Structures are given as structure tokens and as C-alpha cells.
Amino acid sequence: MASIQVWQYDLVYNAFSFTIAVMASATIFFFLGRSQVAPAYRTALTLTGLVTFIALYHYVRIFNSWDASFTVVSGQIKDSGIKFNDAYRYVDWLLTVPLLLIELILVMRLSPSETIAKSTKLGLLAALMVVLGYPGEISEVSSTRWLWWGLAMLPFLVIVYDLFVGLSDAIAKQPASARGLVSLARYVTVISWCFYPIVFIFPMIGFTGSGAITAVQVGYTVADIVAKAAFGVLIYMIARRKSEAEGFVDGPGQLATAK
Amino acid sequence: MASIQVWQYDLVYNAFSFTIAVMASATIFFFLGRSQVAPAYRTALTLTGLVTFIALYHYVRIFNSWDASFTVVSGQIKDSGIKFNDAYRYVDWLLTVPLLLIELILVMRLSPSETIAKSTKLGLLAALMVVLGYPGEISEVSSTRWLWWGLAMLPFLVIVYDLFVGLSDAIAKQPASARGLVSLARYVTVISWCFYPIVFIFPMIGFTGSGAITAVQVGYTVADIVAKAAFGVLIYMIARRKSEAEGFVDGPGQLATAK
């Protein structure tokens, strides 16, 4: 790993620590929120919380790996010789990216057969996208990086097409109070996911050495926060609005006061 | 332990970390899912979550043991002299393999006497299978490995026979919406369990040194994910379908709108 400035090391270190706090809080919020939505939306919130939980686990590992990679003594920073483990991000995405799409499908409450068909298709495409990105990520050869980047973009484009064309009928059928949010969730998915292929090409477009490392780590971290925690809040809001639209009343206490 | 390549060490390391994330998420999913199924199926989901929880515990131990067995500094890998502990897998299986069969029996909802008789029989056979495999696993002598492999296959074959012949009447009596899934669960059990005796013989059929170690560790890990987490999702889906077929309505909120 290229030698790094103390401010760069600190920026990445603090970004990782911030993300641990975000993912842990988001997980608790989504799990506690399950009881506040109609039963039909609880699996969507379970998966939303699992995505941030899985990210929490990996950010703890990523943080520890970053910490072990460098030694800071008397304001001087040195490589410790222990390699920073890039693979944690990819094993995280392999689990969380399919789950993020399934969250969105579940909160739309399609028919059971459509739910299974769309979850399977989009989930497998998402996993394929992550698997195709990894050989590029670990390469330092620009042409190899571009090759795998291009291959990973193919399932990505199919997913985008499916979100915008394949789901438009289903979005039109959402209750009026939730329709705008569901459509927004779709845009947040696509826009936040665009961060990843952009961050991926940083080392190929002139970012070098410790600048590239810092930009890539901070870039992926921001993208993860938007795509997992902020997106999850949208899923929670959609589930709340739809529960209300369907007449869900939360608990016997509320029943008594509602009369 | 034979000297190992960095990529082999990393592959096994990342596979173990991935499995920790999978088993932890699966456990949370099954425990949260308990309230979404009829009370008759909650014990099945409790056991499903316990299986992945026990596996989570053991994969943390296995990960730490793997990490302690090697030292990687400046891209060089060395044996640390601390032995990787194979026994964690066997103590895991001794607990989880009987529980996996009991999950399947419980979700079928047989009569109480049949449930007890089949759980006892299949549970004891599964434990015997694991116990007979261990003396072979820790041996480096091919003929000793084959002997215990053959002995462990005997209870395995009785279990397979029982799943396909002994349970076929019970499967025919499952509600139509769940019958296909119950039959699929039986196939997933048998097929994923076949991985173990195949992985076991890798060192006896030409895989040697660090290649054998890598293949065995990754092979058992993939088998555990399929046999425990993916199989558990099937058990959850069966419990959901059967709960719906039996008229289970989840929570007072939905009751209110159902009127």
C-alpha cells in the first residue's frame, strides 16, 4: 500500500467509525420499527435491518483491518506490513445488494408469484454484478479494471431497466400516499448505486497512491450509507404510509383512543 | 500444516468471515420470523434459528483459529505454530445435524407420538454419523479415513431411506400450497449433506497439501451455508405457507382490516 498522509489516514479511520455508528443505529431503528407497520411489511423491515446489520459487521472488520494496516507513532505513519482487506466490501455487497432489491420488491407488496419471480431475477443479477466487479477491484492494471467494470455494468443496466420499466405498472398501483416515495426509492437505488462504478474508476482516471486509496474508501463509505441506511428509512416510511392506507392500527392502546 | 499460498489463506479467511455474516443474519431472520407463523410452527423456527446461531458461534471460533494459525506480514505467510482446530466443525455438527432433521419433522406437524419417535430416531442416527466421521477426519492415513467414512455412511444411508420412504405418507398429507416445498426441503437435505462425505474424501483422492486444506475448508463452508441457512429459509417458507393455509392471521392490525 502506498504511504499515506496522516490526515488521509485519519479521514478514512473516522469515516469508518462514523459508519459503524450509523449502521448500528439504523439496524436498531428498523428492527424496532417492525411492530409499527402492518404484518405484510414486516419481512421488508426485517431485511432492511439485516442489510444494515451485515454492513455493521463488515465495517467493524474493515475498521479493524484499516487500523492494523498502519502504525501511527509520534505523528509519523508507517505501513505495518499487514494488508488492508478489500474483500470485506465485496462479501458484504454479495449479501446486501440482492437483499436491498428484495426489500423494495417486498414493500411494494406484489402478488406472491411476482414477488418470488422478481426477487429471484433481480437478486441473482445483483449478485452477478458484485462477483464480476471483484476481479477488477483487486487488479492494479487499468485495462483489467476496465474489462471487469464493463462486465459488471451489464447486469447493472438490466437492473436499472427492470426498476424503471418492469416495475412501472406495479408503482402505478401503489396507494396515492406512498406512490411518490416508492418512485423516489427507485431513484435513490439507481443514483446511489451509480456511486460504486464511479468510485471504482478513480484509480483509472488519475487518482494515484494514497489519494486514490482515500477517495475510494471515503467514496464507497458514503455510497454505503446512502444505499443502505438512508434507503432503508425510505422503505420504513413507505411501509408506514401503506400500513395506514390499509387501515392498520398499531396495538390495542391505539385502538382504544381511536374510537 | 502444509505451507499455504497467500490467495488460499485469503480465500478461506474471507469464506469464514462471509459465513459469520450469513449465520448471524439468518439467526436474526428466523427469530424475528417466529411471530409471523402460527404457534404450531414456532418451535420449528426456534430450532432453525438455533442451528444458525450454533454455527455462528463455531464459525467465530473457526475464523479465530484460522487467523491464529498463520502470520501474514509484508505479503509473506508463515505458520504460526498454533494448530488449526478441526474439532469445532464436529462439535457444531453434533448439535446442529440432529436439530436440522428435527426442524423438518416439526414443520411437517405430524402427530405428537410420530414427532417424538421420528425425532429421536433420526436425531440419534445423525449424531452417530457425526461421531463416526471424526476419527477419520483427524487421521492422515488414507485407509483409516476410508474405514470411518464407510462407517459414518451407514447411518447416513438409513437417514436418506427414512426421509424418502418413511416420510412419504406424511408429505402426501401436507397442504397443497406447501407440499412442493416440503419435498424440496427433503432433497436439499440429502443433496447438501452429500457434500460432506465428498469433501471428506478430497485428501484421499489426490488433493494434497495446502490445496487439500483450502478445498476442504471452502467445501465444508459452502455445504454449511446451504444445509443450515438456505435450508432454514425453506423451513420458514413452509411454516408461512402452512400457517396461511390453516387460516393464521398475523396480529390484531390485520384482523381489523380483514373484517
Side-chain angles (χ1 to χ4, degrees):
Chain A
M1 191 170 277
S3 87
I4 197 166
Q5 305 291 311
V6 172
W7 72 267
Q8 292 171 325
Y9 170 81
D10 284 346
L11 177 64
V12 173
Y13 183 99
N14 292 324
F16 289 163
S17 176
F18 176 77
T19 310
I20 290 172
V22 169
M23 295 300 177
S25 317
T27 305
I28 294 169
F29 181 79
F30 299 134
F31 286 162
L32 291 179
R34 283 177 80 253
S35 66
Q36 294 171 284
V37 302
Y41 302 106
R42 288 191 187 150
T43 307
L45 281 192
T46 302
L47 298 191
T48 306
L50 285 182
V51 164
T52 51
F53 171 77
I54 294 165
L56 165 63
Y57 166 76
H58 285 111
Y59 270 92
V60 170
R61 291 274 189 210
I62 288 169
F63 177 93
N64 290 340
S65 179
W66 184 257
D67 196 35
S69 299
F70 301 98
T71 321
V72 190
V73 175
S74 310
Q76 299 290 313
I77 195 154
K78 283 182 187 165
D79 286 8
S80 67
I82 297 168
K83 194 175 139 276
F84 177 65
N85 189 354
D86 270 321
Y88 287 132
R89 292 197 181 281
Y90 279 78
V91 290
D92 177 89
W93 295 336
L94 193 57
L95 286 167
T96 55
V97 178
L99 287 175
L100 283 168
L101 291 172
I102 297 172
E103 273 174 38
L104 182 60
I105 293 162
L106 284 179
V107 88
M108 292 177 73
R109 201 176 177 180
L110 310 175
S111 72
S113 60
E114 263 185 305
T115 301
I116 291 176
K118 290 212 178 287
S119 298
T120 309
K121 182 185 169 190
L122 293 179
L124 288 176
L125 282 168
L128 180 66
M129 174 179 79
V130 172
V131 167
L132 288 173
Y134 187 62
E137 184 73 73
I138 56 170
S139 168
E140 292 183 3
V141 180
S142 225
S143 59
T144 308
R145 288 183 73 93
W146 280 115
L147 169 70
W148 293 104
W149 180 88
L151 290 174
M153 285 305 277
L154 299 177
F156 178 68
L157 292 174
V158 179
I159 292 168
V160 171
Y161 176 83
D162 225 71
L163 287 179
F164 280 86
V165 178
L167 289 179
S168 46
D169 283 358
I171 288 176
K173 283 184 213 146
Q174 298 295 308
S177 64
R179 204 175 300 143
L181 283 176
V182 174
S183 183
L184 178 62
R186 190 169 59 154
Y187 280 101
V188 169
T189 304
V190 172
I191 293 168
S192 66
W193 286 25
C194 280
F195 275 56
Y196 297 94
I198 293 171
V199 171
F200 187 98
I201 61 174
F202 281 173
M204 292 115 88
I205 54 166
F207 288 79
T208 53
S210 63
I213 291 164
T214 307
V216 167
Q217 293 309 325
V218 174
Y220 281 150
T221 301
V222 172
D224 275 347
I225 290 173
V226 175
K228 289 168 173 145
F231 177 77
V233 173
L234 268 181
I235 296 290
Y236 168 77
M237 287 171 68
I238 293 166
R240 282 294 296 265
R241 295 264 178 100
K242 292 185 75 177
S243 299
E244 279 163 27
E246 291 161 16
F248 171 71
V249 175
D250 181 8
Q254 191 131 344
L255 251 177
T257 56
K259 273 172 199 165
Chain B
M1 191 169 276
S3 87
I4 196 166
Q5 304 291 309
V6 172
W7 73 266
Q8 292 171 327
Y9 170 81
D10 283 346
L11 177 64
V12 173
Y13 182 99
N14 292 323
F16 289 163
S17 176
F18 176 77
T19 310
I20 290 172
V22 168
M23 295 301 176
S25 317
T27 305
I28 295 170
F29 181 81
F30 299 135
F31 287 162
L32 290 179
R34 284 178 78 255
S35 66
Q36 294 172 287
V37 302
Y41 301 107
R42 292 194 183 148
T43 308
L45 281 193
T46 302
L47 298 191
T48 306
L50 285 181
V51 164
T52 51
F53 173 76
I54 295 165
L56 164 64
Y57 167 76
H58 285 111
Y59 270 92
V60 170
R61 291 276 188 209
I62 288 170
F63 177 93
N64 290 342
S65 177
W66 184 256
D67 196 34
S69 300
F70 300 98
T71 320
V72 189
V73 174
S74 307
Q76 299 290 312
I77 195 157
K78 283 181 189 165
D79 286 8
S80 67
I82 299 168
K83 192 177 143 277
F84 176 64
N85 188 353
D86 270 323
Y88 288 133
R89 293 197 180 281
Y90 279 78
V91 291
D92 178 88
W93 295 336
L94 194 58
L95 285 166
T96 55
V97 177
L99 288 174
L100 282 168
L101 291 172
I102 298 171
E103 273 174 39
L104 181 60
I105 293 162
L106 284 178
V107 87
M108 292 177 72
R109 203 176 175 180
L110 310 174
S111 72
S113 61
E114 264 185 305
T115 300
I116 292 175
K118 290 213 178 285
S119 297
T120 310
K121 182 184 170 192
L122 292 178
L124 288 175
L125 282 168
L128 180 66
M129 174 178 79
V130 173
V131 168
L132 289 173
Y134 189 62
E137 184 74 74
I138 56 171
S139 166
E140 291 183 3
V141 179
S142 225
S143 59
T144 309
R145 288 183 72 94
W146 279 115
L147 169 71
W148 293 105
W149 180 87
L151 290 173
M153 285 305 277
L154 298 177
F156 177 68
L157 292 174
V158 179
I159 293 168
V160 172
Y161 177 83
D162 225 68
L163 286 178
F164 280 86
V165 179
L167 289 179
S168 46
D169 283 358
I171 288 176
K173 283 184 214 147
Q174 298 295 308
S177 63
R179 204 176 300 142
L181 283 176
V182 174
S183 182
L184 178 62
R186 189 170 59 155
Y187 279 101
V188 169
T189 305
V190 172
I191 293 169
S192 66
W193 288 23
C194 280
F195 275 57
Y196 298 94
I198 293 172
V199 171
F200 186 97
I201 61 174
F202 281 172
M204 294 115 88
I205 54 166
F207 289 79
T208 53
S210 63
I213 292 165
T214 307
V216 167
Q217 294 308 326
V218 173
Y220 280 149
T221 301
V222 171
D224 275 346
I225 289 173
V226 175
K228 290 168 173 144
F231 177 77
V233 173
L234 268 182
I235 296 290
Y236 168 77
M237 286 172 70
I238 292 166
R240 282 291 297 264
R241 296 262 177 102
K242 291 184 75 178
S243 299
E244 278 164 30
E246 290 161 16
F248 171 70
V249 176
D250 180 7
Q254 191 130 341
L255 255 176
T257 57
K259 274 173 199 163

